[in-house]
Amino acid sequence: MSELILDRLRKEYGSFVAVDDVSLRVEEGELVALLGPSGCGKTTTLRMIAGFIEPTAGRITIGGRDVTWDPPYRRDTGMVFQSYALFPHMTVAQNVAFGLEMRKVPRAEAETRVRRALDLVRLGHLAARLPRQLSGGQQQRVALARALVVNPGVFLLDEPLSNLDAKLRLEVRVEIRELQKRLGLTTVFVTHDQEEALTLADRLVVMDHGVVQQVGTPEELYESPANLFVAGFIGRSNVLRGRLAERGRFISKGGLALAVPADGMAPGEAALALRPERIGVAPGASDGGVVGRVALVTYLGAATEYRVTLDGGETITASVPTPRPGDPLKLVSAGDAVTLTWPAESCRLLAPGPGATPDEGGL
Amino acid sequence: MATAATTAARPAGRRAEAFSLGPFLLVPASLLVVAFLAAPLVVLFRYSFNRYSPREFMIDAFTLENYARFFTDAYFIGVLATTVQVAAVCTLVSLLFAYPLAYLMARTESRWKSALVIAVVFPLMVGNVVRAAGWMAVLGNEGIVNHLMLSLGIVSQPVRLMYTPFAVYVGIIAVVLPYMILTLQSVIEGIGRDVEEAAANLGAGPMTTFRRVLLPLSLPGVIAGGTLVFILCMNAYATPVLLGGPQFKMMAPALYDQFTRTTNWPFGAALAFILMTSTLVLTIVGTTVLSRRMHHRKLEAAPR
């Protein structure tokens, strides 16, 4: 296993910048997820690491060796493709053995390693099958075994779960994480699914328009998004636009004055991000909170969402544990007045700018 | 329940409709094949057992002497050998020439791709005779090639290029190349680029990737293209006649001579069936050997 370093990696197609000076250090044994909407440059970045795309500028180092201009077959990466890309004319065992054969591993040793790799993904009994005789989940695991058996310096996964159904996706996700931990694999994982990224990764890299928006642990990204894009892309956020009148006091465009944490930003134009699940809802209008009218109640099982229109015309969505029978909140429906409360430290002040959520204010 | 029953019944009803219409759609093509291919072949096959007489033209008989004559005459055995050799060499060479181009065409994302396809298809719009005439202008003693070699001082006298086996090979390969390219291209297009990338990712260089992944996966295309081209070569007529001259004899021109020049229809018919049978047998042998190889590899794989 080795450390992977991307140094101002850049890819241009004509005047289009697909990847814009991405720098990243993936520690030994770390799993980093590249996350972003389609076209954000995450797959291009991964393919540059694998060597399928030549960067326009920048450097890629694997285990201290500069591989920027090496062809894919001289890089020490093991890739799992979105389509699995199994060799259809070879059996499962031959697929897995291919990389060892290329490395001229002696036959006896290769056979042992193939068997061990297949046992690792619980497919030992299907070694003699052809890929087309396997289910999607099994093919996926063959692809994993094929990439892992060569002990790659860097393990690359390109949306490996996107072709699986929901239930299988969860299973394979856990399986990948366990394998990665057990083998201490330096891993880069590309996905557009934030839940997948949050549950799998040690650290996340959120990308948009080829630019890294933020790098951090799942918790860092969720609790302290660096900008409106991250606030809207990782989990959901209410966004209120307005200005910071003075340290600790935010006034929204709708005229709402709110107490906010007094750190960081200087007074001026600002946006305020607020997680729906940090907001409490009480029936009726009362002081000590923000009053509004319920526009929509959405029952989600464990939680219930209240979309509330404030007097200033802004909307805020609150997500609370579904009230039990007898709770006065249970009787609240569209048109009723409610009071919203939240601790001031739940508010996150961000630079005003384009956000990821088109529906401003109400998620 | 009722809706479920109707939705379940509908596809079945539709299928029944398609079944009842199907055979009728085959009628025109079937009639055409029977009238213009099967029937003449049956008649011709019968002719091949007749006896030839210079005065009476053809005498009804049931004799194998036409076939016997072919297999005892070194000249005609030689014609068949030449034909097989030309067909085999041309198939092989066109395969070698076509593969890289077909690969390029299958993989390119350039906007010139359709222009490339048209460039490959375009020669098919020019008839063989026209093309052979073009080759005459290129390869003749006064042709472009000799003119160039003379003016460059490579040779002091024109080199004979026309009416040589070389001219026939060049001419036939040029004719069949588009068929080979298009067949291979469509098969290679069906092979995902990702399997090549997977091979590279696992450490296989371009040559190894070709040998271990691309070639085995494109073997169906090699077989299909090879078969098509081999059959075309075996039956080549215009190109060997126009570029090979009277000394160079292949089967198709030879049997045509029997029909028109010597008016020996029974022997001509026998030649036709010998050509057809040898084409058929060689094609079947070739494809089985190749596809068994493909199959073999899978069987070998199974016990592991």
Side-chain angles (χ1 to χ4, degrees), chain B residues 119-204:
Chain B
V120 169
V121 175
F122 184 73
L124 298 178
M125 296 180 213
V126 181
N128 287 352
V129 178
V130 176
R131 226 158 348 150
W135 282 114
M136 288 166 142
V138 172
L139 299 175
N141 283 359
E142 313 284 312
I144 295 165
V145 174
N146 269 315
H147 186 78
L148 218 65
M149 288 200 293
L150 282 171
S151 56
L152 287 174
I154 299 170
V155 292
S156 52
Q157 278 178 17
V159 178
R160 211 178 95 122
L161 295 168
M162 269 308 290
Y163 308 123
T164 61
F166 171 77
V168 178
Y169 282 111
V170 169
I172 291 182
I173 289 167
V175 170
V176 295
L177 210 48
Y179 296 98
M180 190 64 107
I181 293 170
L182 294 176
T183 314
L184 286 174
Q185 184 208 345
S186 69
V187 173
I188 294 172
E189 255 168 17
I191 302 168
R193 191 191 292 256
D194 54 352
V195 295
E196 286 178 71
E197 287 179 349
N201 182 255
L202 290 165

Side-chain angles (χ1 to χ4, degrees), chain A residues 119-264:
Chain A
D119 287 342
L120 204 62
V121 295
R122 295 179 285 110
L123 282 178
H125 58 296
L126 299 178
R129 295 271 183 93
L130 287 171
R132 64 165 172 272
Q133 298 167 314
L134 305 182
S135 71
Q138 289 169 335
Q139 290 186 19
Q140 165 67 277
R141 304 215 298 270
V142 175
L144 282 173
R146 185 178 68 175
L148 290 177
V149 75
V150 296
N151 292 325
V154 177
F155 189 37
L156 304 173
L157 298 139
D158 184 10
E159 306 238 4
L161 307 177
S162 58
N163 286 334
L164 302 175
D165 60 56
K167 188 167 171 286
L168 212 58
R169 198 175 301 170
L170 221 69
E171 269 178 47
V172 179
R173 192 162 84 190
V174 173
E175 213 161 309
I176 288 177
R177 183 54 162 161
E178 275 176 10
L179 275 176
Q180 186 268 335
K181 277 241 165 98
R182 179 142 43 113
L183 304 174
L185 296 163
T186 307
T187 305
V188 179
F189 186 106
V190 161
T191 180
H192 64 268
D193 182 335
Q194 51 134 330
E195 192 196 330
E196 209 168 284
L198 285 171
T199 51
L200 264 172
D202 294 312
R203 283 194 303 151
L204 276 72
V205 177
V206 180
M207 293 180 73
D208 189 37
H209 296 298
V211 180
V212 172
Q213 302 291 322
Q214 192 174 3
V215 182
T217 63
E219 197 174 335
E220 278 165 10
L221 291 184
Y222 193 81
E223 300 297 339
S224 344
N227 56 35
L228 281 178
F229 178 82
V230 179
F233 196 77
I234 304 290
R236 302 181 308 160
S237 290
N238 291 293
V239 175
L240 294 176
R241 291 180 183 268
R243 62 192 174 79
L244 191 63
E246 60 199 69
R247 281 191 188 271
R249 214 166 81 91
F250 175 86
I251 298 175
S252 79
K253 283 216 168 102
L256 202 61
L258 299 168
V260 293
D263 56 342

Side-chain angles (χ1 to χ4, degrees), chain B residues 26-297:
Chain B
L26 296 178
V27 168
S30 309
L31 281 179
L32 215 67
V33 169
V34 168
F36 293 105
L37 186 69
L41 275 180
V42 169
V43 173
L44 207 61
F45 191 53
R46 176 66 193 89
Y47 283 178
S48 72
F49 298 107
N50 282 346
R51 194 163 281 142
Y52 170 70
S53 138
R55 254 166 297 148
E56 289 163 77
F57 178 55
M58 189 157 70
I59 302 162
D60 268 351
F62 202 85
T63 169
L64 286 171
E65 68 186 25
N66 295 310
Y67 291 96
R69 180 183 160 202
F70 178 88
F71 288 107
T72 49
D73 189 330
Y75 172 75
F76 285 110
I77 295 283
V79 170
L80 181 62
T82 307
T83 307
V84 172
Q85 190 192 335
V86 168
V89 170
C90 290
T91 305
L92 220 63
V93 172
S94 66
L95 184 63
L96 291 178
F97 284 6
Y99 204 106
L101 195 59
Y103 180 79
L104 184 83
M105 285 171 60
R107 289 292 187 244
T108 184
E109 278 160 13
S110 149
R111 60 208 157 99
W112 297 104
K113 178 173 179 159
S114 44
L116 216 58
V117 174
I118 291 170
V120 169
V121 175
F122 184 73
L124 298 178
M125 296 180 213
V126 181
N128 287 352
V129 178
V130 176
R131 226 158 348 150
W135 282 114
M136 288 166 142
V138 172
L139 299 175
N141 283 359
E142 313 284 312
I144 295 165
V145 174
N146 269 315
H147 186 78
L148 218 65
M149 288 200 293
L150 282 171
S151 56
L152 287 174
I154 299 170
V155 292
S156 52
Q157 278 178 17
V159 178
R160 211 178 95 122
L161 295 168
M162 269 308 290
Y163 308 123
T164 61
F166 171 77
V168 178
Y169 282 111
V170 169
I172 291 182
I173 289 167
V175 170
V176 295
L177 210 48
Y179 296 98
M180 190 64 107
I181 293 170
L182 294 176
T183 314
L184 286 174
Q185 184 208 345
S186 69
V187 173
I188 294 172
E189 255 168 17
I191 302 168
R193 191 191 292 256
D194 54 352
V195 295
E196 286 178 71
E197 287 179 349
N201 182 255
L202 290 165
M207 274 322 289
T208 314
T209 302
F210 172 74
R211 199 167 46 79
R212 296 289 311 274
V213 177
L214 197 59
L215 187 60
L217 288 179
S218 59
L219 210 52
V222 172
I223 292 173
T227 305
L228 180 66
V229 163
F230 184 75
I231 292 171
L232 284 172
C233 293
M234 285 291 283
N235 294 290
Y237 176 78
T239 313
V241 167
L242 296 172
L243 298 182
Q247 302 305 314
F248 192 84
K249 269 282 175 281
M250 282 176 68
M251 282 296 275
L255 77 90
Y256 183 73
D257 279 355
Q258 292 302 320
F259 280 107
T260 55
R261 218 164 285 167
T262 43
T263 62
N264 187 342
W265 282 40
F267 189 58
L271 285 184
F273 276 89
I274 288 162
L275 175 59
M276 209 169 87
T277 311
S278 42
T279 306
L280 208 66
V281 167
L282 289 171
T283 305
I284 290 169
V285 168
T287 51
T288 13
V289 165
L290 274 178
S291 45
R292 186 161 301 159
R293 240 212 199 148
M294 202 160 51
H295 198 62
H296 231 23
R297 216 174 278 146

